[in-house]
Amino acid sequence: MQLLRFTTAGSVDDGKSTLIGRLLYDSKSIFEDQLAAVQLSSERKGLGHVDLSLLTDGLRAEREQGITIDVAYRYFATPKRKFIIADTPGHIQYTRNMVTGASTANLALILVDARNGIVEQTCRHSFIASLLQIPHLIVCINKMDLVDYAEDRFNQIVEEYTEFASKLDVTDIRYIPISALNGDNVVNRSENMDWYQGATLLNTLETIHIASDYNHIDGRFPVQTIIRPHSDEYHDYRGYAGRVAGGIFRPGDKVTVLPSGLSSKIKSIDTFGGAVEEAFPPMSVSITLEDDIDISRGDMIVKQNNQPHVSQEVDMMVCWLNNRPMQQGAKYYLRHTSREVRSVIKEVVYKIDINTLHRMEGDKEIKMNDIARVRLRTTQPLMLDAYRKNRSTGSLILVDESTNETVAAGMVVDSFNN
Amino acid sequence: MHKYYLNHLQELEAEAIFVIREVVAQFDKPGILFSGGKDSIVVTHLAKKAFWPAKIPMPLIHIDTGHNFPETMAFRDNLVKELGVQLIVGSVEESLRKGRVKEETGINASRNALQITTLLDAIEEHKIDAAIGGARRDEEKARAKERFFSHRDDFGQWDPKNQRPELWNIFNGRKQMGEHFRVFPISNWTEMDVWNYIKEQNIAIPSLYFAHQRQVIYRDNTWLPLSEFVTLRQGESVEEKQIRFRTLGDITITGGIESDADTLEKIVAEVAAVRSTERGNRGDDKRSETSMEDRKKLGYF
């Protein structure tokens, strides 16, 4: 059974809670005592229906204000797959939460109200999904019951979206006409839309090919920590512990350690269950090398014939996550894989209007929820890949030096001339 | 042909091992909060895997309410011996003796809330800067909002409205003096995942999880185990039932369910079929709609 992580975003009205509720309920992932508690709360609030958002709006402030403040994670499984939903609120701190939820997702669900077609919010969701390089997009055209299950309306919206999506960087987009309220094409095939021959939403989620979502080409192994048992049995053991961030490693591979540039060969790839012949993302393993060379946390073991860009200049898209705006010329801690360095913002190249996707070259003030292209310089070299090529070695965060808060998410832009 | 993907348990395991290694790499004095329950046993097992062939490079921390299942204590001591790790015990009895906390009174008195003070005292005394716990997001709605790396201020408090965003797998453990982190490596696991993993890895767990004959009292819709700490109320009687526990906590607030699941296979089948959450039998969660959040803000697990 594989694990699929997907993200949903939207406001109360577009039927998102209903859709998630239906997926959870129809897959029997809501327990009786949870349902009873939600029913009771809904009645207490004087609602005429069972408000499924109460299932995860768990914080006191959320329940009081009837809003979702934070990304909520929900879990369900079918006999075919296990699913993790990162459900992000539609209004408050919208971009920040959507970016957070999207950062680990294989797939994004975009909800479109069949009556309204593509609206500003659809564009924002889609742009963020594309910026975060979510490999698969499912556009659910919802509330088909309110447009008489009309094929024309569906085709119209598909055409509209396809045109908009040509500006995005997403290759796998699918369209499904649904009614979350009545269950059409969610778990069961619709009896009202004979004209739709494609798969239901759940069936798509269960079968979409996700095994190639990781980079299996460029060998990247950021070292997290060194394992030295100091025991009689393993007296000279020195294992470099980490999680494979790209490529496939095998014993005997010629490797280079960056940034030092020293070379060696992989002696073994160890796990508690025994040595393995291959390690690929996202496996956590320990690598031992033939030669005794100086390696510490923050170094990266890579294949000798395929190396990342080693640089102290970073060209990236950032999403600003903090109330305090970005300070040009200010210094931030920068975390990239297992490495931490200090950095300084050199230049804001442009800001993006996420509703129109226009570049705003004059506006250089980067505030919470803004997305911009930025150049910065670091005190120590980083081993970078473009985010497009590798979501692990192409992503980074900035941390405020005085508050220690995570203030920005960065995605490395492919501008290397190597 | 090889297929280069992990199944869901392998992926969750790889994620948890990554998180546990991050803790050891980023902090000076981490520790594992060990309750003797299945989740903390799984976390300890993952830590063993993360650092093999070295020993787990941090102590286990047990907050002892004094109201224990004897089986849990024996299990804990065996495990500590087998792993060769240090055990730190924070004792609620001692906090009571020192006057740090006062025993609750009244009809549903328990030592559940008292653990917060004992835990924070233990963290301070041993200068623990990261406490790894077995909490999962699927368990309870306040826990659904937890980060993997969850910041605590210098009073040990959680501020759920002002949490650091967590992106990709980059974890920010930076903190000021006196602050600490709680870390939850199995955040993304469900109860089903935990049981399937225990079965697949053949991890030893206390016998209390398996169906057994026990003297119990029916109270608040659950079978409460008879112990020296429980007094019978009017209309209550002691019965002998075949029960098992879905979670383990303080003996005075942990209810059991009637079950004949006496093997891991049967437990997995039972969990798959059961229609109520595992914490449904926990008295500590029933005090109000947000009782978990309220306790967590103060420093609870």
Side-chain angles (χ1 to χ4, degrees):
Chain A
M1 196 156 80
Q2 274 178 309
L3 181 62
L4 176 90
R5 299 173 201 243
F6 68 95
T7 172
T8 58
S11 48
V12 196
D13 322 322
D14 56 21
K16 186 185 59 154
S17 298
T18 318
L19 178 62
I20 292 176
R22 184 157 286 283
L23 284 171
L24 296 180
Y25 193 78
D26 287 359
S27 64
K28 300 190 171 51
S29 306
I30 298 177
F31 294 111
E32 277 164 6
D33 57 331
Q34 280 176 316
L35 198 62
V38 167
Q39 262 160 354
L40 200 70
S41 299
S42 303
E43 277 166 31
R44 222 177 280 156
K45 285 168 175 273
L47 300 174
H49 62 283
V50 177
D51 183 0
L52 287 169
S53 70
L54 292 170
L55 273 176
T56 47
D57 287 352
L59 302 177
R60 188 178 284 276
E62 291 177 324
R63 298 173 90 83
E64 281 167 4
Q65 298 169 43
I67 53 161
T68 309
I69 289 171
D70 208 343
V71 184
Y73 293 91
R74 307 171 204 239
Y75 302 83
F76 74 101
T78 69
K80 291 191 181 129
R81 266 189 188 158
K82 173 185 159 106
F83 300 95
I84 301 178
I85 313 177
D87 182 16
T88 56
H91 26 104
I92 298 181
Q93 299 178 343
Y94 168 78
T95 306
R96 166 189 149 134
N97 285 322
M98 171 97 190
V99 167
T100 303
S103 72
T104 51
N106 307 89
L107 183 148
L109 278 193
I110 308 275
L111 272 169
V112 177
D113 186 325
R115 294 169 302 174
N116 307 330
I118 314 293
V119 295
E120 208 170 89
Q121 187 168 273
T122 324
C123 302
R124 269 189 288 166
H125 293 180
S126 309
F127 171 63
I128 290 170
S130 145
L131 182 73
L132 272 289
Q133 288 286 302
I134 299 182
H136 315 280
L137 257 178
I138 300 183
V139 182
C140 289
I141 295 154
N142 190 24
K143 305 196 184 178
M144 285 302 291
D145 51 318
L146 299 181
V147 295
D148 299 326
Y149 299 105
E151 184 179 9
D152 285 0
R153 185 60 189 142
F154 174 74
N155 288 337
Q156 219 172 14
I157 293 172
V158 169
E159 200 176 310
E160 222 181 302
Y161 190 88
T162 311
E163 198 197 318
F164 161 75
S166 63
K167 288 188 268 181
L168 300 175
D169 188 15
V170 187
T171 45
D172 183 15
I173 306 179
R174 296 159 198 234
Y175 303 90
I176 306 178
I178 65 166
S179 163
L181 191 68
N182 301 333
D184 294 87
N185 290 333
V186 179
V187 174
N188 303 311
R189 282 206 78 77
S190 170
E191 289 172 9
N192 300 306
M193 290 178 276
D194 292 339
W195 48 266
Y196 175 74
Q197 300 300 319
T200 62
L201 174 59
L202 186 66
N203 188 255
T204 310
L205 291 172
E206 284 180 330
T207 53
I208 203 161
H209 181 73
I210 53 168
S212 340
D213 290 358
Y214 286 106
N215 177 322
H216 288 122
I217 310 221
D218 312 297
R220 305 284 185 263
F221 188 80
V223 175
Q224 270 188 289
T225 181
I226 320 289
I227 294 175
R228 302 218 54 184
H230 301 291
S231 62
D232 291 343
E233 198 183 342
Y234 295 96
H235 192 266
D236 294 319
Y237 188 90
R238 202 178 163 81
Y240 304 105
R243 199 171 183 193
V244 183
I248 297 157
F249 288 91
R250 298 179 180 91
D253 280 351
K254 286 183 183 162
V255 292
T256 299
V257 180
L258 295 174
S260 73
L262 297 170
S263 289
S264 184
K265 247 189 192 167
I266 294 182
K267 187 165 146 194
S268 67
I269 301 174
D270 298 335
T271 71
F272 177 81
V276 293
E277 285 308 305
E278 286 178 320
F280 52 89
M283 284 171 73
S284 285
V285 296
S286 299
I287 288 180
T288 65
L289 298 180
E290 295 285 357
D291 308 281
D292 196 5
I293 49 181
D294 181 24
I295 300 179
S296 50
R297 173 173 169 84
D299 291 352
M300 193 186 284
I301 298 175
V302 303
K303 297 279 189 78
Q304 220 166 68
N305 55 5
N306 174 337
Q307 300 195 10
H309 188 70
V310 181
S311 172
Q312 285 177 245
E313 302 277 346
V314 188
D315 187 354
M316 62 179 190
M317 299 299 297
V318 294
C319 174
W320 203 254
L321 309 169
N322 201 261
N323 275 318
R324 284 175 62 181
M326 174 195 284
Q327 311 291 319
Q328 274 211 54
K331 296 185 179 68
Y332 296 96
Y333 291 118
L334 184 158
R335 291 197 166 211
H336 170 257
T337 66
S338 55
R339 197 165 175 80
E340 184 180 90
V341 299
R342 295 181 75 203
S343 69
V344 58
I345 310 277
K346 300 298 282 185
E347 187 193 353
V348 176
V349 187
Y350 55 80
K351 217 164 110 172
I352 287 191
D353 178 331
I354 62 165
N355 294 320
T356 61
L357 306 190
H358 286 147
R359 293 178 182 181
M360 301 183 286
E361 314 232 341
D363 187 355
K364 302 282 163 102
E365 210 200 332
I366 309 299
K367 300 186 297 287
M368 172 122 90
N369 295 323
D370 281 347
I371 290 172
R373 180 147 173 180
V374 165
R375 290 207 180 94
L376 53 75
R377 192 173 166 74
T378 59
T379 50
Q380 299 288 322
L382 296 174
M383 286 71 82
L384 301 167
D385 288 300
Y387 184 75
R388 264 192 121 259
K389 235 168 102 185
N390 190 319
R391 290 171 91 189
S392 251
T393 52
S395 56
L396 55 90
I397 61 167
L398 299 182
V399 175
D400 188 294
E401 290 193 324
S402 57
T403 63
N404 290 326
E405 286 173 340
T406 303
V407 294
M411 288 141 281
V412 178
V413 173
D414 196 353
S415 62
F416 320 129
N417 13 334
N418 56 339
Chain B
M1 272 297 282
H2 280 285
K3 282 188 180 156
Y4 293 108
Y5 66 85
L6 302 180
N7 70 33
H8 80 290
L9 284 180
Q10 290 169 331
E11 187 171 335
L12 291 172
E13 180 192 64
E15 176 179 82
I17 288 176
F18 176 81
V19 172
I20 294 169
R21 286 171 169 175
E22 267 317 276
V23 173
V24 167
Q26 289 195 33
F27 295 92
D28 294 328
K29 282 204 74 183
I32 297 174
L33 294 172
F34 185 82
S35 68
K38 65 180 189 315
D39 300 312
S40 61
I41 291 170
V42 164
V43 168
T44 307
H45 179 80
L46 290 162
K48 182 168 83 175
K49 291 186 119 179
F51 300 102
W52 181 89
K55 284 182 190 169
I56 297 175
M58 55 191 150
L60 300 189
I61 304 164
H62 181 224
I63 302 306
D64 179 357
T65 61
H67 292 167
N68 298 299
F69 286 99
E71 291 93 334
T72 309
M73 301 302 276
F75 184 91
R76 175 196 83 183
D77 293 339
N78 269 333
L79 187 67
V80 165
K81 215 168 108 191
E82 184 198 310
L83 295 172
V85 295
Q86 190 203 346
L87 174 71
I88 293 173
V89 178
S91 159
V92 174
E93 300 267 347
E94 204 178 305
S95 302
L96 283 163
R97 258 200 313 277
K98 284 184 184 160
R100 296 278 297 135
V101 288
K102 265 175 82 178
E103 197 93 72
E104 283 185 0
T105 53
I107 185 144
N108 277 322
S110 90
R111 288 182 171 179
N112 189 268
L114 309 188
Q115 293 178 89
I116 299 172
T117 304
T118 308
L119 170 62
L120 293 177
D121 285 353
I123 284 172
E124 196 170 320
E125 184 191 335
H126 297 277
K127 299 193 165 48
I128 299 295
D129 55 2
I132 299 177
R136 310 187 319 266
R137 289 176 180 153
D138 82 318
E139 259 181 286
E140 207 284 333
K141 51 196 184 294
R143 285 187 168 164
K145 306 279 166 165
E146 268 290 9
R147 303 295 189 255
F148 278 91
F149 271 44
S150 186
H151 179 258
R152 295 292 183 277
D153 67 15
D154 51 354
F155 294 97
Q157 301 190 101
W158 182 50
D159 181 3
K161 282 204 286 184
N162 193 25
Q163 300 194 75
R164 296 177 185 178
E166 223 160 54
L167 296 110
W168 299 289
N169 52 10
I170 311 176
F171 297 108
N172 173 8
R174 285 208 152 262
K175 58 177 174 24
Q176 315 282 352
M177 280 285 280
E179 298 176 345
H180 74 275
F181 272 79
R182 300 288 171 82
V183 181
F184 306 106
I186 60 169
S187 286
N188 278 331
W189 298 43
T190 60
E191 184 189 15
M192 201 64 216
D193 296 328
V194 169
W195 281 114
N196 274 318
Y197 188 73
I198 289 171
K199 187 178 106 185
E200 186 194 281
Q201 302 272 313
N202 203 13
I203 301 170
I205 51 170
S207 55
L208 299 159
Y209 282 112
F210 299 98
H212 57 286
Q213 291 291 323
R214 195 170 199 99
Q215 292 194 304
V216 287
I217 304 153
Y218 197 69
R219 182 182 293 175
D220 295 335
N221 298 316
T222 186
W223 293 104
L224 209 59
L226 182 68
S227 69
E228 54 181 307
F229 313 107
V230 177
T231 26
L232 283 187
R233 296 177 189 163
Q234 206 172 12
E236 287 180 344
S237 61
V238 177
E239 292 177 58
E240 172 106 2
K241 288 274 174 193
Q242 169 140 317
I243 64 150
R244 68 173 208 89
F245 296 95
R246 281 178 81 188
T247 69
L248 287 184
D250 186 309
I251 196 167
T252 62
I253 51 166
T254 305
I257 53 167
E258 282 189 80
S259 167
D260 52 14
D262 52 5
T263 63
L264 283 173
E265 285 73 18
K266 285 185 196 167
I267 291 174
V268 168
E270 186 190 273
V271 171
V274 84
R275 298 304 307 139
S276 62
T277 62
E278 57 185 328
R279 294 190 73 93
N281 295 317
R282 288 287 285 260
D284 44 339
D285 290 349
K286 288 186 174 166
R287 292 192 169 185
S288 86
E289 272 190 7
T290 53
S291 65
M292 175 67 92
E293 177 187 355
D294 298 341
R295 279 176 295 152
K296 279 178 68 68
K297 278 181 182 163
L298 295 172
Y300 190 69
F301 310 106

